[in-house]
Amino acid sequence: MIDLHIHTNSSDGSLSPSKVVRLARQADLEAIGITDHDSIDGIGEFMGECRSAGIEGVAGIEIGVKYRLVTMHLLGYFIDPEAVSLGALLGRVKSERVHRIKKVVEKLNGIGVPLDLDEVNQVAGDSPPGRPHVALALKRKGSVESVEEAFSQYLEKGREAFVERYKPTFDEAKRAIEQAGGISVLAHPISIGADCDSLFDLLRKFSGDGLSGVEVYHPNQDEDFQKMLLGMAKKLSLAVTGGSDFHGEAKPEWRIGVGLGDMRIPYVLLGELRKRLERKNSN
Ligand code: AMP
Ligand code: ZN
Ligand code: FE
Ligand code: FE
């Protein structure tokens, strides 16, 4: 079994890459992929630990992108973390994130919620700062009971401390992933909120533009939705992937390897994904 969607403390996960690999070993996984949000900083440690633990590691990333008015998450697999163009794109995302979180804190202060930027930075460490870090900082202070509450009270779109953030376009991110030697996969299409026909049109368009696969197995996608995606993947000849979207304590209900409990992703899917990579590189 494998898990190709895992976050570490290089983004908003709570465990270090080494701890994640240890957990994956305990769960008896054969292969795992690191997919931190907008960050490649954990890849080196992750791949090293995978080698020592005898687990096949996949170097990946999850990039928040926009396509027309829709935002979505694009996964990149088999990427070279040293690649210059990907580094440049992520550098821009990170600095825009830093700027934006400053504005979020100002807005919170403006509505009478005390919070210091340093308190957020303590939670985020070197990771690109995001709203989950702000939420955790508020929870630590006792200003909210839970991360959920921080979002619903202040941080969600439409709430008073919401600030839009910069995202690269789908094409920019896909190109950066390709230039880093990787292939791209659309993450959890459920979150796009499109109906069946629109989703198919979207996938067909992306597939024509070089998207390699679609994430079918994800804790937010139920069996019916998975079946629908499998059908679309087959018609469009897209690779099928999946993972738990593990975040550690930041999202405790999503467990490594098994998601909500019943996820089983066979190793053969990784083999198929590698074939796509080889085909792409030989073209
Ligand atoms: P950001 O990239 O800073 O805008 O934060 C986006 C992240 O916040 C997502 O990846 C989710 O993990 C998390 N998130 C978004 N909405 C919620 C919510 N209502 N409750 C908890 N976490 C959320
Ligand atoms: Zn996350
Ligand atoms: Fe995601
Ligand atoms: Fe994720």
Side-chain angles (χ1 to χ4, degrees):
M1 297 297 146
I2 63 173
D3 188 337
L4 296 180
H5 193 149
I6 296 176
H7 296 271
T8 75
N9 61 3
S10 286
S11 61
D12 58 349
S14 49
L15 299 182
S16 67
S18 307
K19 286 199 174 136
V20 162
V21 175
R22 241 171 280 159
L23 210 61
R25 207 196 144 96
Q26 283 162 18
D28 231 6
L29 294 173
E30 300 161 88
I32 48 177
I34 182 173
T35 55
D36 275 308
H37 299 283
D38 306 325
S39 167
I40 46 178
D41 295 347
I43 291 179
E45 179 185 331
F46 181 84
M47 296 301 274
E49 283 292 318
C50 280
R51 273 190 294 276
S52 323
I55 295 181
E56 187 175 337
V58 177
I61 188 162
E62 181 174 27
I63 307 179
V65 303
K66 57 178 196 264
Y67 174 74
R68 298 189 176 149
L69 292 177
V70 195
T71 64
M72 51 191 87
H73 288 176
L74 191 64
L75 295 158
Y77 290 114
F78 315 117
I79 53 169
D80 171 8
E82 306 289 326
V84 175
S85 49
L86 183 61
L89 180 129
L90 298 178
R92 164 112 202 251
V93 172
K94 187 166 179 178
S95 67
E96 298 272 358
R97 270 182 177 281
V98 168
H99 188 63
R100 174 251 206 165
I101 287 300
K102 226 182 268 173
K103 287 201 255 177
V104 171
V105 170
E106 279 166 17
K107 281 197 165 187
L108 282 168
N109 295 164
I111 56 170
V113 181
L115 184 68
D116 205 90
L117 192 58
D118 282 344
E119 294 172 293
V120 180
N121 290 337
Q122 263 172 31
V123 178
D126 290 332
S127 312
R131 285 178 294 161
H133 301 121
V134 177
L136 276 172
L138 287 171
K139 190 176 162 218
R140 272 191 194 173
K141 288 187 80 127
S143 314
V144 293
E145 296 268 321
S146 64
V147 165
E148 249 334 299
E149 190 189 325
F151 270 90
S152 61
Q153 287 271 345
Y154 307 118
L155 302 173
E156 260 168 26
K157 194 164 193 154
R159 293 282 153 195
E160 280 177 286
F162 176 79
V163 179
E164 199 65 70
R165 79 170 177 87
Y166 160 80
K167 294 185 191 78
T169 65
F170 177 90
D171 284 322
E172 286 167 337
K174 192 179 62 68
R175 216 173 311 129
I177 288 168
E178 278 166 7
Q179 284 170 356
I183 57 178
S184 50
V185 170
L186 185 67
H188 45 68
I190 185 96
S191 65
I192 294 171
D195 61 46
C196 183
D197 288 346
S198 323
L199 187 55
F200 185 74
D201 288 345
L202 201 62
L203 282 174
R204 186 168 50 196
K205 161 90 176 58
F206 289 164
S207 157
D209 290 345
L211 183 78
S212 294
V214 59
E215 187 175 55
V216 171
Y217 305 104
H218 183 279
N220 277 345
Q221 295 176 169
D222 67 15
E223 233 181 285
D224 286 343
F225 197 82
Q226 290 173 9
K227 269 191 198 141
M228 183 183 82
L229 284 178
L230 280 176
M232 292 182 185
K234 196 163 178 189
K235 275 194 199 134
L236 298 169
S237 177
L238 285 166
V240 167
T241 72
S244 65
D245 214 345
F246 180 75
H247 281 73
E249 280 318 299
K251 281 184 194 172
E253 63 285 5
W254 292 355
R255 289 183 284 132
I256 205 160
V258 295
L260 291 166
D262 54 0
M263 185 178 267
R264 302 281 180 278
I265 302 164
Y267 182 85
V268 60
L269 293 184
L270 179 56
E272 292 292 324
L273 202 60
R274 277 198 194 279
K275 273 190 216 153
R276 303 272 166 163
L277 178 72
E278 282 158 24
R279 224 179 296 158
K280 197 150 192 154
N281 287 344
S282 65
N283 279 342

